[in-house]
Amino acid sequence: MTTTSAGPHVHGLGEPYKRKEDARFIRGKGNYVDDIQLPGMLYADIVRSPYAHALIKSIDISKALQVPGVVAVITGKDLEAAGLAWMPTLSGDSEAVLAVDRVLYQMQEVAFVVAESRYAAADGAAAVEVDYEPLPVVVDPHKALAPDAPLLRPDKKDRQPTNQIYHWETGDRAATDAAFAEAEQNGVVVRQDMYVPRIHPAPIETCGCVADYNAATGKLTVWMTSQAPHAHRTLFAIVSGLPEHRIRVISPDVGGGFGNKVPIYPGYVCAVVAALKTGRPVKWIEDRTENLTSTGFARDYHIHAEIAADKEGTVKALRVYTLADHGAFDAAAQPTKFPAGLFHICTGSYDFKHAHVAVDAVHTNKAPGGIAYRCSFRVTEASYLIERMMDTLAREVGKDPAEIRLQNFIKPEAFPYRSALGWTYDSGNYERALRLAMEKIGYEELRREQAEKRARGELMGIGISSFTEIVGAGPGKHFDIAGIQMFDSCEIRVHPTGKVLARIGVQTQGQGHETTFAQIIAAELGISPDDVDVEHGDTDTAPYGLGTYASRSTPVGGAATAVAARKIRDKARKIAAYLLEVGEEDLEWEPGRFYVRGSPSKGKTIQEIAFAAYTNCPPYLEPGLEAVNYYDPPNLTYPFGSYICVVDIDRGTGEVHIRRFLAVDDCGTVINPMIVEGQIHGGLTQGLAPALYEQLAYDENGNVLGSNFQDYLIPTAMETPRWETARTVTPSPHHPIGAKGVGESPTVGAPQAIANAVVDALAHVGVRHIDIPITPWKVWAILKEKGLAT
Ligand code: MCN
Ligand code: CUN
């Protein structure tokens, strides 16, 4: 480390420091759950229902037990006898671990087979004979609410007599209705139905675990693909009755989570039961089809939205009604107090005076899960609806979509801004982001080009999305998951030689925490990130944390890390004062060093202070240099962005070609611009996906139509355009380093920019909305209807 007059250069905030974890990933030295091998380990396979709704009349496991290598077969009845047939979901519902007397969706777990090899387990699963009696299937949530719909959850009928899970509303209905009545008379009202389809996060690594129970010590160790190891351990303790300190959950390297690894799945629980039953370690790893068909899906929101505005297009009120399809069990990961997550960010970046939102959630014969996929608790759906609606309003009043946004943005001086639905946006400057995007992409020029092309019969569209996100749950008094408050944590140990071990409560599944959290400490202590190792994911060693989702790691865990590092620095100051024989107030700090004010050469480096903490500590202090912080944020952070997409449409095939896509993001203070850029590239691709390709569709019998990557289209390098990025920086006023989250922003912001561009290309022939995914077939049908197909 070289010391300059400004102190050593430590690669702190704002530096594109190369990812420390990549040293192992690019050498093939990552350590994923499926890499865990234990002596005597058994392998599992799951028998799954071919029916979407059926009674189970009988299960015969005798043939399966005769398959060579099969060691045990566990059924729902076995679990029932042990009191383990049901498990709590993250939304307070109970979900069948293995179905006992009925199945509620195709691919539901029915029996768990363990064997000496993965192949024997598969043969065993094929030999289990299940006698089903098919029942009527409901896949449409509207039909699920019909009075004659079959009741899917008779187990809940005492508290839930229909398929409706909840009705939830927020906002001021009377004031909103009054604003609409006024707009009907003297202004404009726009309305639109839209469906945000069911999609799937589809991480490259599917879900799985290895469960190992040591009967001698009574300790259960579970390596599992988990975005929330501590929360999962607590739920395991509650379900199993095992003491929590005798359960160790280790989430090793995770090959992509995207929300898919937040819920607890039956396979994890069955592997634990099988390990207890057989006395041997049990590995369960899903295949691709199991992952796509049975684990946490996302979206599936049927939305009706309305905006009331004056004749010039200044917005007055927003009214939204949504039917949320939660599938067979309500297993959505979301804060307890907000059943529709943070859907109430749907007033977006605009200054609505009034709003009212109602959501009805229903059961259908589809897999449970919900809200996963880079979404921040339903923010994706909220952002999609408001950005589509602003375009609809622009058409209605004959204004450009950019102009209508600039006219209605919350003004920079209005922050902190309280939204009509009661949320306090911490900071923002929406106009600056949109103006930067317009300037960078050459908006006016593009509009001229579009007009010329339109005159020649060519179809070109420009779409804008000026979204606002809401990330960083807690505060703990408002946010909890299954009762556990959503704070997060960091523990820092500075060793005598000045090297650092930091343990964090959040779990990384690819976002680069081992680098960025080291950079936060580097910035606070003036120690190179290379001298800071960041550990996470092992409940025996990491401080308690709520997990990584909803882009909360930087807003909450990052804040805990900065605060813990500041505690270290406070103690270091005391030690330095002792060593230098001056008062604490006589010391100045520069990165990595305290020195005596007025005599810069008289100082102590953080390394010297660390050594003294263990060798020559002031008698009035505890020896050592360690600190821990549990951070409960005072507010959420509100990152935002303005995206502009340019598309050309092929009149012969209906194909949408994305010619340009520019993303201006603002996540406050940036820790590592290279990692943020990577997050944005990946997130934009996952925003492109539902816009043009992905949908987890079902036929009327409840058969999953997207059970593999031939039918469920994820974009590859071929489909992905060259992303252009830029940024503005509006720090969070309450975060210790001013950082906001960013992981989900691009996926939240992108789909509607693309949808708006396609609708813009066809607006002159009266098209106002096309539901995503906007497939060539849908576009071609419109071209045909409008006489534009060639
Ligand atoms: N970062 C930064 N400066 C900021 C904000 C963030 O340098 N102002 C860095 C962070 O320190 C972190 C990364 O960017 O290294 C993302 O940070 P953050 O926005 O805090 O989000 P999380 O770390 O909580 O990640 C979760 C988020 C979610 S919810 C999904 S889903 C998702 C995503 O991130 N899943 C991912 N990005 C993913 N990226 C990969 N590779 N794999 C996943 O599974
Ligand atoms: Cu909602 S997907 Mo991320 O929050 O794990």
Side-chain angles (χ1 to χ4, degrees):
M1 203 189 294
T2 51
T3 305
T4 65
S5 58
H9 186 74
V10 291
H11 305 288
L13 304 183
E15 297 250 350
Y17 202 65
K18 281 199 178 154
R19 297 193 350 153
K20 294 171 57 156
E21 42 270 84
D22 288 347
R24 64 178 189 280
F25 291 144
I26 60 177
R27 290 177 174 87
K29 298 285 186 199
N31 189 35
Y32 299 89
V33 167
D34 204 15
D35 293 323
I36 307 291
Q37 296 294 342
L38 299 178
M41 192 166 72
L42 298 171
Y43 299 81
D45 197 6
I46 296 181
V47 179
R48 293 174 181 275
S49 170
Y51 293 101
H53 195 195
L55 293 176
I56 296 177
K57 300 180 76 181
S58 65
I59 300 178
D60 183 352
I61 61 167
S62 55
K63 290 204 180 98
L65 286 171
Q66 283 160 20
V67 171
V70 169
V71 174
V73 179
I74 298 168
T75 65
K77 286 242 174 350
D78 298 329
L79 294 181
E80 198 171 40
L84 292 172
W86 296 84
M87 61 180 185
T89 69
L90 297 173
S91 302
D93 192 2
S94 35
E95 175 174 351
V97 178
L98 293 173
V100 177
D101 51 13
R102 69 170 62 216
V103 286
L104 289 168
Y105 60 95
Q106 189 178 55
M107 295 293 280
Q108 186 178 342
E109 297 81 357
V110 174
F112 194 77
V113 180
V114 283
E116 299 290 347
S117 73
R118 184 68 183 77
Y119 302 99
D123 289 346
V128 173
E129 290 174 350
V130 187
D131 190 8
Y132 295 99
E133 182 183 312
L135 294 169
V137 171
V138 194
V139 290
D140 179 344
H142 302 93
K143 290 186 185 157
L145 286 182
D148 60 342
L151 182 65
L152 302 186
R153 295 293 301 279
D155 59 301
K156 298 209 289 189
K157 74 171 179 302
D158 292 343
R159 59 199 160 93
Q160 200 177 286
T162 68
N163 291 319
Q164 179 161 352
I165 305 168
Y166 64 75
H167 172 83
W168 174 79
E169 358 189 321
T170 183
D172 187 335
R173 184 196 281 267
T176 304
D177 288 351
F180 271 87
E182 160 69 16
E184 297 279 9
Q185 294 296 319
N186 303 314
V188 293
V189 173
V190 286
R191 304 190 159 81
Q192 186 61 56
D193 285 315
M194 47 189 105
Y195 175 48
V196 185
R198 180 178 273 239
I199 53 176
H200 196 280
I204 293 304
E205 180 203 34
T206 60
C207 300
C209 70
V210 175
D212 183 27
Y213 182 69
N214 184 326
T217 61
K219 183 127 185 172
L220 172 70
T221 305
V222 189
W223 288 262
M224 62 188 267
T225 48
S226 169
Q227 291 180 227
H230 283 100
H232 285 166
R233 183 190 61 182
T234 300
L235 289 175
F236 273 142
I238 291 168
V239 172
S240 69
L242 290 171
E244 195 166 353
H245 67 301
R246 298 257 165 77
I247 303 174
R248 179 180 190 183
V249 173
I250 302 173
S251 187
D253 288 330
V254 174
F258 309 115
N260 187 237
K261 291 162 182 171
V262 176
I264 293 203
Y265 297 120
Y268 300 143
V269 179
C270 290
V272 170
V273 172
L276 291 168
K277 182 179 161 112
T278 62
R280 292 168 65 178
V282 174
K283 178 183 276 187
W284 165 71
I285 305 282
E286 281 173 346
D287 66 23
R288 177 61 54 199
T289 294
E290 291 178 295
N291 182 256
L292 280 171
T293 56
S294 72
T295 63
F297 71 93
R299 326 286 193 256
D300 224 347
Y301 258 32
H302 299 256
I303 299 170
H304 175 78
E306 304 175 322
I307 288 180
D310 68 15
K311 286 211 169 67
E312 284 69 50
T314 298
V315 299
K316 301 292 175 194
L318 176 72
R319 196 158 57 189
V320 180
Y321 173 73
T322 288
L323 196 53
D325 186 343
H326 282 232
F329 303 102
D330 183 16
Q334 62 210 357
T336 309
K337 284 187 195 155
F338 307 110
L342 297 175
F343 191 55
H344 25 32
I345 191 72
C346 61
T347 52
S349 311
Y350 310 101
D351 192 11
F352 282 91
K353 296 289 174 250
H354 309 288
H356 182 259
V357 176
V359 180
D360 283 320
V362 294
H363 284 306
T364 57
N365 290 119
K366 299 180 187 171
I371 93 135
Y373 200 168
R374 264 184 141 150
C375 53
S376 292
F377 298 137
R378 302 289 185 198
V379 176
T380 319
E381 293 89 327
S383 174
Y384 176 82
L385 89 82
I386 187 63
E387 289 304 311
R388 280 271 49 248
M389 288 309 288
M390 290 308 282
D391 266 37
T392 310
L393 176 64
R395 303 283 172 232
E396 183 68 26
V397 298
K399 288 194 172 174
D400 185 278
E403 192 188 342
I404 205 88
R405 286 176 168 79
L406 291 166
Q407 176 184 341
N408 284 295
F409 278 150
I410 299 160
K411 301 282 175 277
E413 57 276 12
F415 292 91
Y417 169 86
R418 198 173 152 84
S419 77
L421 293 172
W423 295 82
T424 303
Y425 294 21
D426 62 344
S427 64
N429 191 332
Y430 305 141
E431 175 167 346
R432 182 168 64 183
L434 179 54
R435 291 223 185 265
L436 178 65
M438 291 169 71
E439 184 194 316
K440 283 213 167 264
I441 205 154
Y443 189 77
E444 302 303 331
E445 184 50 38
L446 284 167
R447 282 287 174 211
R448 271 195 293 278
E449 181 192 342
Q450 181 188 36
E452 281 164 28
K453 289 211 157 134
R454 214 168 250 179
R456 293 203 297 270
E458 291 172 42
L459 297 175
M460 165 186 167
I462 307 161
I464 301 178
S465 161
S466 290
F467 65 96
T468 291
E469 258 259 57
I470 169 170
V471 305
K477 65 175 182 292
H478 298 308
F479 292 92
D480 69 86
I481 290 256
I484 308 168
Q485 290 188 15
M486 295 180 74
F487 57 80
D488 232 289
S489 60
C490 174
E491 178 201 286
I492 299 176
R493 295 183 184 178
V494 185
H495 303 317
T497 54
K499 309 293 178 191
V500 179
L501 175 64
R503 288 171 161 156
I504 55 175
V506 290
Q507 162 72 22
T508 176
Q509 49 263 10
Q511 309 89 304
H513 293 175
E514 289 167 38
T515 308
T516 49
F517 282 64
Q519 284 181 271
I520 295 173
I521 294 169
E524 295 294 336
L525 296 183
I527 294 176
S528 163
D530 272 343
D531 290 339
V532 181
D533 272 1
V534 175
E535 285 186 3
H536 53 87
D538 182 339
T539 58
D540 263 12
T541 55
Y544 203 103
L546 264 289
T548 292
Y549 40 81
S551 304
R552 63 186 295 280
S553 301
T554 304
V556 193
T561 304
V563 172
R566 286 174 192 178
K567 286 189 184 177
I568 297 268
R569 205 168 68 200
D570 287 346
K571 183 167 180 188
R573 176 188 288 271
K574 290 188 186 354
I575 299 173
Y578 172 76
L579 296 175
L580 294 162
E581 297 180 350
V582 294
E584 277 181 57
E585 61 289 350
D586 297 325
L587 291 177
E588 292 284 346
W589 168 257
E590 67 180 8
R593 183 171 174 271
F594 281 107
Y595 64 88
V596 179
R597 186 171 306 121
S599 341
S601 60
K602 224 182 141 210
K604 290 287 173 194
T605 65
I606 189 83
Q607 288 79 8
E608 288 167 333
I609 297 167
F611 196 68
Y614 295 86
T615 57
N616 182 23
C617 192
Y620 46 86
L621 288 181
E622 288 177 22
L625 196 53
E626 301 186 356
V628 59
N629 180 251
Y630 283 76
Y631 190 82
D632 187 0
N635 190 6
L636 297 120
T637 67
Y638 293 74
F640 58 94
S642 264
Y643 294 174
I644 302 184
C645 172
V646 184
V647 300
D648 298 298
I649 293 176
D650 186 321
R651 287 176 54 188
T653 63
E655 248 173 315
V656 173
H657 171 67
I658 298 179
R659 192 202 313 171
R660 288 185 70 188
F661 194 109
L662 171 72
V664 173
D665 272 279
D666 192 320
C667 58
T669 307
V670 172
I671 303 163
N672 185 322
M674 185 182 65
I675 286 182
V676 167
E677 174 111 346
Q679 286 292 306
I680 291 169
H681 280 212
L684 289 173
T685 305
Q686 289 188 308
L688 160 70
L692 297 186
Y693 306 105
E694 296 182 356
Q695 176 168 12
L696 205 54
Y698 287 71
D699 72 11
E700 73 271 21
N701 295 317
N703 295 308
V704 192
L705 301 179
S707 63
N708 57 71
F709 282 161
Q710 266 186 317
D711 299 324
Y712 186 78
L713 300 181
I714 62 172
T716 67
M718 293 296 290
E719 289 78 22
T720 304
R722 198 179 73 82
W723 305 117
E724 301 168 54
T725 57
R727 104 164 73 88
T728 59
V729 176
T730 311
S732 167
H734 62 78
H735 187 277
I737 59 168
K740 303 180 177 185
V742 77
E744 294 170 309
S745 291
T747 306
V748 165
Q752 52 275 23
I754 299 168
N756 284 347
V758 177
V759 173
D760 183 66
L762 297 164
H764 61 299
V765 291
V767 174
R768 289 292 172 268
H769 180 75
I770 308 171
D771 272 332
I772 55 172
I774 302 178
T775 58
W777 168 248
K778 280 187 198 169
V779 177
W780 189 82
I782 292 168
L783 296 177
K784 187 104 178 114
E785 183 200 319
K786 304 287 182 189
L788 289 171
T790 56

